[in-house]
């Protein structure tokens, strides 16, 4: 029946043993060394397998550049706009798809120049002795390596390892992909430098750029990539606006090839400058186009009116006719010029209103100043409308979502409304001026009608010719001015610091960080493992565990044996291990004396389970008694698992079982050993009923007979945690020794031992801590004893026992140093 005392293990709560954990952690120092070696090895392999990442920057300024020809005397005025929103717009443009398409196409950056290294493919653009220029209108082998090797300054070899009889090709002029037939074997050809190569799958020309390059003779891998995919990689260009100077932009790129990044950054700025100039010249282009159309029409009119005037002069005396008509001619020309200016303005405004109502692209509007409109609101709003229209067209490839479109569309609609109002107001004023001009002309025409017919005809012909000639010369002058303005135009974008490889610029990989992480991981992983082992470990680790789990006395501590057999005391009587058993002997004699036991002393050794060193301790305790010339006998009563006969080189044919069943007498089962004063009774053959034999009267009779012959009787019993045989032998023993083995005996076993002791099943019981390693697993400095038994340490036991070199790394060197200083 289970006793309530069996549940006393609930009375104690095991707290975390920080000291024990620290000592155990230090005992696994080899794990930490191995962990650090592995972690640093992994970090080193990661570092060498990663390509170096560099950073390249360039700086540009955005500022308003006015044309130097814009003076008060210039009849053409173009509003380029201000710097407001320009910086943000340029930042957006630099990341736009349309802009990067132009740069990639210009540099042909869809072409890879690669070199196979030990761990990766290295981008060697700008580092190879040649450069390839492809024919964009022809097919190129697509996404497959082309091996190129320079044979000399004038020749190179192309090798293409085709895998099957077809291959993909791309034509970069329109990015059209297709599949063509190819040989199903490796293609190889020697070509001349500078020669146009025309193959079904390859159209290029290779030129030498640096014959002395270090990579000359190396095999370089050429690969043509998808155009759109290449553009996408360069859209990651970083654009930053200087906080202190809002018109300064910093462009930065990160990559593995500095030459490629330098070329791309400089080219992207050059393309941006060119596009900016083209945008600024949009007014001039539109104006020139408008003037060219007008000049073409005026040339025809001027030619016709000149021919009519020439024909009139053939049939009439022009000199006589001009007399008296010059005044009318000059007045009429002035009135016609005034009317023509007003009509051209009105015609422009009518065209502008129609364009605003019916069109969605306002980038082609000519400048209002071309027809003499100097109304500031109209000029400004037309310029703003053109700028907004150009910006919106650029957002097609760079902006996702409708928010930016809505903002620009709203601005365009607002400008259109204001511009329509301005045009209507200005047209009303022009209509009034037109009526005045018509009235003047009508009045003058009435006076002319009174002249002779030949003079009226001459005035009409001269009027048409002079008007056409005046208009033609005016537009011709304006076209000249527009061309000069366009040619003298400057970009708003300036290089401050072009991209350049000046050395350095290394961004990664962060090798130092990897090594720091490796250091911590090399420590943390073993620490977690040790903590897990310590946390789940339920075995006795040290003396503190025994003290905290039981009140039973600890009579001695036994280290790990280093002898070939279990007879450690006999084989090495001066060893530290032998001294620990002598200390146990002294403690036993103290216990016997305390109990006033005279004559033969009996001792029983048991343990929780098999393997805790019960037999080992029995043999050596018996040996120390025998070496003190006390007649001692060991009785093997572990009838289920006999062990003690092997170490004495005796047979187990006869033993305690034979005596207990009455088969043999006591003298017949007692066997002498090679150790003086030490005899042994082995267990004998394994019986079917060991418990019944121990409970029988024969056991009592055997103990009584042995007391007549020996000074010490040591009973080697089975584990009390497995069978109850040892409990039946307690009645014959003066002292019971319970063997606890380090890293083996479970803590619950001591709880069961406490319960048996409280119930009186085990009396006069003491504990031996066996298999204790004071260095290898628990650090130097514990020593044997803690006040119990043998307490000598290295250096202090000199002269008392044999020196044993320890097995632990630190302890071994500590031992050798002490030995060196002693000598």
């Amino acid at each position: 029946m289970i006793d309530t005392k069996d549940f006393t293990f609930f009375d104690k709560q095991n707290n975390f043993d920080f000291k024990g954990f620290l000592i155990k952690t230090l005992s696994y120092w080899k794990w930490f060394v191995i962990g650090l070696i592995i972690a640093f090895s992994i970090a080193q392999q990661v570092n060498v397998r990663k390509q170096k990442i560099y950073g390249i920057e360039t700086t540009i300024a955005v500022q308003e550049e006015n044309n130097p020809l814009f003076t008060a005397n210039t009849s053409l005025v173009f509003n380029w706009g201000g710097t407001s929103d320009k910086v943000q717009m340029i930042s957006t443009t630099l990341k736009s798809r349309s802009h990067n398409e132009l740069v990639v196409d210009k540099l042909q950056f869809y072409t890879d120049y690669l070199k196979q290294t030990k761990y990766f493919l290295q981008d060697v653009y700008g580092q190879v002795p040649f450069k390839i220029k492809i024919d964009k209108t022809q097919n190129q082998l697509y996404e497959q390596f082309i091996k190129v090797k320079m044979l000399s300054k004038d020749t190179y070899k192309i090798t293409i390892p085709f895998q099957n009889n077809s291959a993909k090709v791309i034509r970069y002029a329109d990015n059209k992909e297709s599949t063509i037939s190819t040989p199903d074997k490796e293609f190889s050809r020697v070509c001349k430098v500078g020669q146009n190569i025309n193959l079904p799958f390859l159209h290029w020309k290779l030129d030498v750029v640096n014959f002395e390059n270090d990579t000359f003779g190396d095999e370089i891998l050429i690969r043509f990539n998808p155009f759109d995919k290449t553009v996408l990689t360069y859209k990651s260009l970083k654009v930053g606006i200087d906080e202190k100077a809002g018109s300064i932009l910093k462009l930065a790129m990160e990559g593995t090839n500095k030459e490629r990044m330098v070329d791309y950054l400089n080219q992207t700025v050059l393309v941006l400058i060119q596009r900016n100039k083209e945008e600024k010249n949009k007014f001039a282009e539109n104006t020139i186009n408008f003037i060219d159309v007008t000049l073409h029409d005026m040339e025809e009119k001027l030619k016709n009116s000149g021919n009519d005037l020439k024909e009139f002069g053939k049939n009439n005396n022009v000199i006589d006719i001009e007399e008296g008509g010059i005044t009318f001619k000059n007045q009429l020309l002035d009135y016609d010029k005034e009317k023509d200016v007003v009509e051209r303005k009105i015609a422009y405004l009518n065209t502008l209103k129609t364009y605003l109502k019916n069109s969605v692209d306002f980038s082609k509007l000519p400048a209002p100043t071309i027809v003499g409109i100097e109304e500031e609101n109209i000029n400004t709003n037309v310029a703003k409308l053109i700028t907004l229209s150009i910006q919106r067209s650029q957002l097609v490839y760079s902006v996702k979502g409708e928010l930016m479109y809505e903002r620009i569309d709203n601005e365009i609609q607002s400008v259109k409304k204001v511009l329509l109002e301005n045009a209507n107001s200005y047209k009303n004023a022009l209509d009034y001026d037109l009526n005045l001009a018509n009235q003047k002309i009508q009045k003058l025409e009435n006076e002319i009608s009174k002249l002779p017919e030949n003079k009226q005809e001459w005035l009409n012909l001269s009027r048409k010719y002079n008007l056409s000639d005046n208009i033609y010369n005016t537009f011709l002058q304006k076209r000249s001015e527009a061309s000069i303005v366009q040619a003298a135009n400057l970009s708003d974008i300036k290089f401050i610091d072009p991209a350049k490889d000046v050395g350095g610029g290394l961004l990664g990989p962060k090798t130092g960080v990897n090594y720091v992480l490796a250091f911590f991981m090399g420590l943390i992983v073993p620490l977690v493992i040790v903590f897990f082992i310590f946390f789940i470990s339920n075995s006795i680790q040290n003396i503190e565990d025994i003290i905290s789990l039981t009140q039973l006395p600890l009579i001695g501590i036994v280290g790990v044996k280093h002898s070939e057999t279990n007879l450690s005391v006999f084989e090495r009587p001066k060893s530290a291990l032998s001294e620990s058993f002598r200390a146990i002997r002294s403690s036993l004699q103290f216990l016997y004396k305390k109990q006033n036991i005279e004559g033969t002393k009996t001792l029983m050794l048991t343990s929780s389970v098999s393997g805790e060193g019960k037999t080992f301790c029995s043999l050596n305790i018996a040996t120390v008694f025998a070496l003190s010339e006390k007649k001692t006998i060991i009785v093997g009563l572990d009838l289920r698992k006999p062990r003690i006969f092997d170490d004495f080189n005796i047979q187990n044919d006869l033993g305690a079982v034979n005596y207990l069943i009455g088969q043999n007498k006591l003298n017949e089962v007692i066997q002498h050993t090679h150790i003086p004063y030490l005899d042994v009774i082995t267990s004998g053959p394994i019986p079917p009923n060991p418990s019944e034999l121990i409970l029988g009267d024969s056991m009592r009779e055997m103990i009584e007979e042995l007391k007549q012959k020996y000074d010490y009787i040591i009973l080697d019993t089975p584990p009390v945690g497995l069978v109850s045989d040892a409990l039946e032998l307690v009645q014959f023993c003066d002292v019971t020794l319970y063997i606890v083995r380090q890293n083996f005996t479970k803590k619950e076993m001591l709880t069961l031992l406490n319960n048996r002791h409280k119930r009186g099943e085990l009396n006069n019981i003491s504990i031996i801590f066996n298999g204790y390693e004071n260095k290898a697993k628990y650090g130097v400095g514990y020593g044997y004893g803690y006040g119990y038994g043998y307490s000598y340490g290295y250096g202090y036991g000199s002269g008392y026992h044999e020196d044993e070199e320890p097995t632990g790394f630190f302890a071994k060197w500590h031992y050798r140093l002490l030995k060196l200083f002693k000598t």
Side-chain angles (χ1 to χ4, degrees), residues 312-342:
F312 179 83
K314 290 179 181 180
N315 302 320
N316 297 279
N317 188 352
V318 177
I319 297 175
D320 293 337
I321 296 175
E322 284 182 348
E323 293 180 3
I326 295 297
T327 303
F328 290 109
K329 175 184 175 182
N330 293 334
Q331 288 181 357
L332 191 60
L333 179 60
D334 292 337
Y335 294 156
D336 284 338
K337 288 181 180 180
E338 182 180 346
K339 179 181 177 181
D340 179 69
V341 170
V342 175

Side-chain angles (χ1 to χ4, degrees), residues 93-110 136 172-173 175 227-228 230-232 234-235 263-279 393-394 397:
T93 301
L94 286 168
K95 296 182 178 181
S96 68
R97 182 174 187 82
S98 59
H99 174 80
N100 285 279
E101 282 179 350
L102 294 174
V103 181
V104 170
D105 183 66
K106 187 81 172 178
L107 295 171
Q108 295 189 4
F109 265 16
Y110 39 74
K136 300 177 184 177
Y172 285 107
N175 289 325
F227 182 81
D228 292 336
T230 304
V231 172
L232 187 62
Y234 287 102
K235 286 182 65 179
D263 287 352
Y264 195 88
L265 284 174
N266 290 332
Q267 188 63 46
T268 196
V269 176
L270 291 176
V271 170
L272 187 65
I273 291 174
Q274 183 62 32
R275 294 183 69 184
N276 179 255
K277 289 181 66 176
E278 291 174 356
E279 291 171 9
S393 64
Q394 291 176 346
Y397 300 106

